[in-house]
Structure formats: C-alpha cells, structure tokens
Amino acid sequence: QVQLQESGPGLVKPSGTLSLTCAVSGDSISNSQWLSWVRQPPGKGLEWIGQIYRSGSPNSNPSLKSRVTISVDKSRNQFSLKLSSVTAADTAIYYCARAYCTSNDCYLDAFDIWGQGTMVTVSS
Amino acid sequence: QSALTQPASVSGSPGQSITISCTETNSDLGTNNHVSWYQQHPGKAPKLVIYEVNNRPSGVPNRFSGSKSGNTASLTISGLQAEDEASYYCSSYAGSHVVFGEGTKLTVL
C-alpha cells in the first residue's frame, strides 16, 4: 500500500527557510492526484499549509501563501515543502498527506494517507 | 477565510453516544458537502474517519457517523469505547483551500 515519509532538518534558524521532502512508496507519485502539507504546533490543532495536483499549480493557505513553495519531483517519487522567513511560530510537527480519490472524484479535504510527521523547531 | 468552530471537549461513558459539532462562520458548509472528520491519538498522525459529510472509509467502524444541517456538521460516535478517547478534528474544502476545526478532546469516562 502507499506510504508517505517526511524528512528534513529538525532545527531551522529564525529567518531561514524550512525545507522538507515527502517520499512516496508503494506507488508512483503520478497516481497520487492531490498531495498536501499539514502542520501541528505542539499541543495545538491542525493547520493546512498547501497542496499540489501532481505537478500542477499548488494552492496554499492564504495566511502562509507568500512564504510557501510546494513542488513535485516525479523522478524521485517525492514532493517537497519550502517555507521561508520562519519564526518560532512555525515550530510544529509537519505532516505530508494524500487526498482520498475514487475512480470518479477526489475529496480534497479528506486525507486518507498520512506520513508519520516530522518535528521542526525554529530556534537560534 | 472560513473558520470552523468545535467544542473544546466532550465526554461520555462507555456504551453511550456522543456528538461533536463543527460550525462554520460563513456559508461554505451550507453550500457543499466537503466535510471530513479525523481522529488523532496522542503522538500519532490523524486518521480519516468520515468524508463528504457522512461517508466512512474502509475499515472505520459503523459506530462513527456524520451529518450536516445548514452551517453545522456533526460527528456522532455510538457505543463509545475506551479506544475512542482521542482528539477529533473537522475539515472543510471551499474556494481551493482546506480549513481544519480547532479540535475537540473526547474523554471516555
């Protein structure tokens, strides 16, 4: 079955850029139509960061839009997140997730497969 | 942007039923069926339990059900079990954005 695995630095300096990748295993990333990033600050709720349709144009949370870059690397079967100008408020567990799709439709807020999450701390 | 409001906490005894509400501040919930619910145990990734208001993914017990009335969606868990103790989040999709609710902590007494 399809599995997702996040990876990247666990510590990022303030004003720097957070860079994470999500490796897709068990299937070609081309078969996963909508791929998203979601984060969760310690002890707090979930926040959607953004999504990308295969290798199409990404959408992102308006509150983060100017700082977010999401892209797909089909050759490596992975997709990535870059978040620029980070502050302590960006400290969180970062998850990658895949939207649930049937043969007829995709449900873009229904994430049926999640990575295990990776903790990123913003600190000097 | 939309905001989804959930109660901070609910509780129930084993065997009972509980309902968690999710109310949207603008009219998006009332105009589409893009509402999902997630269960999250401490230290674990969220798990999808309901999508499109009232659909269960394969493997989710039929004790979990969803509904919607106007701008408020609801998740009902019947026959509460100890393993249901977790945080629950609603989500909605509208205008090319996904929004999550604030989360509800379910305590099984």
Side-chain angles (χ1 to χ4, degrees):
Chain A
Q1 76 253 24
V2 177
Q3 293 184 314
L4 305 178
Q5 178 69 60
E6 306 89 349
S7 62
L11 181 65
V12 181
K13 293 188 185 308
S15 78
T17 295
L18 178 159
S19 296
L20 297 174
T21 60
C22 178
V24 180
S25 60
D27 195 9
S28 168
I29 197 170
S30 297
N31 293 330
S32 294
Q33 298 192 43
W34 290 93
L35 300 164
S36 278
W37 288 95
V38 176
R39 70 181 182 179
Q40 185 170 34
K44 296 187 178 181
L46 302 170
E47 180 181 30
W48 179 74
I49 299 171
Q51 67 186 16
I52 189 165
Y53 176 75
R54 292 179 175 167
S55 56
S57 298
N59 295 317
S60 56
N61 190 322
S63 68
L64 303 170
K65 191 168 188 174
S66 63
R67 300 195 290 132
V68 170
T69 302
I70 298 174
S71 60
V72 172
D73 186 341
K74 290 183 179 179
S75 66
R76 296 186 175 187
N77 223 43
Q78 65 186 33
F79 67 111
S80 65
L81 167 70
K82 293 186 186 298
L83 182 66
S84 62
S85 304
V86 296
T87 69
D90 296 309
T91 293
I93 298 172
Y94 285 75
Y95 295 100
C96 55
R98 188 189 77 167
Y100 176 57
C101 293
T102 65
S103 56
N104 296 322
D105 207 350
C106 286
Y107 305 96
L108 300 188
D109 71 313
F111 304 116
D112 64 333
I113 298 176
W114 294 70
Q116 66 183 28
T118 187
M119 181 67 202
V120 179
T121 301
V122 178
S123 175
S124 55
Chain B
Q1 190 180 357
S2 306
L4 301 178
T5 301
Q6 299 180 231
S9 63
V10 298
S11 63
S13 300
Q16 287 185 334
S17 296
I18 63 93
T19 296
I20 299 171
S21 62
C22 172
T23 300
E24 208 203 30
T25 56
N26 66 31
S27 61
D28 286 341
L29 266 187
T31 59
N32 67 53
N33 288 327
H34 304 315
V35 181
S36 299
W37 289 91
Y38 297 87
Q39 175 192 65
Q40 187 180 33
H41 289 108
K44 300 293 187 182
K47 174 187 175 183
L48 180 68
V49 295
I50 294 287
Y51 69 97
E52 285 297 281
V53 176
N54 57 8
N55 293 274
R56 282 186 308 276
S58 174
V60 174
N62 59 11
R63 301 185 296 104
F64 291 82
S65 62
S67 63
K68 189 188 75 166
S69 177
N71 278 11
T72 298
S74 299
L75 171 70
T76 298
I77 307 174
S78 58
L80 267 181
Q81 300 181 1
E83 67 207 49
D84 298 331
E85 183 162 297
S87 293
Y88 291 84
Y89 296 89
C90 61
S91 70
S92 178
Y93 179 82
S96 75
H97 302 135
V98 176
V99 178
F100 286 100
E102 304 146 323
T104 299
K105 175 72 169 73
L106 168 61
T107 300
V108 180
L109 302 171

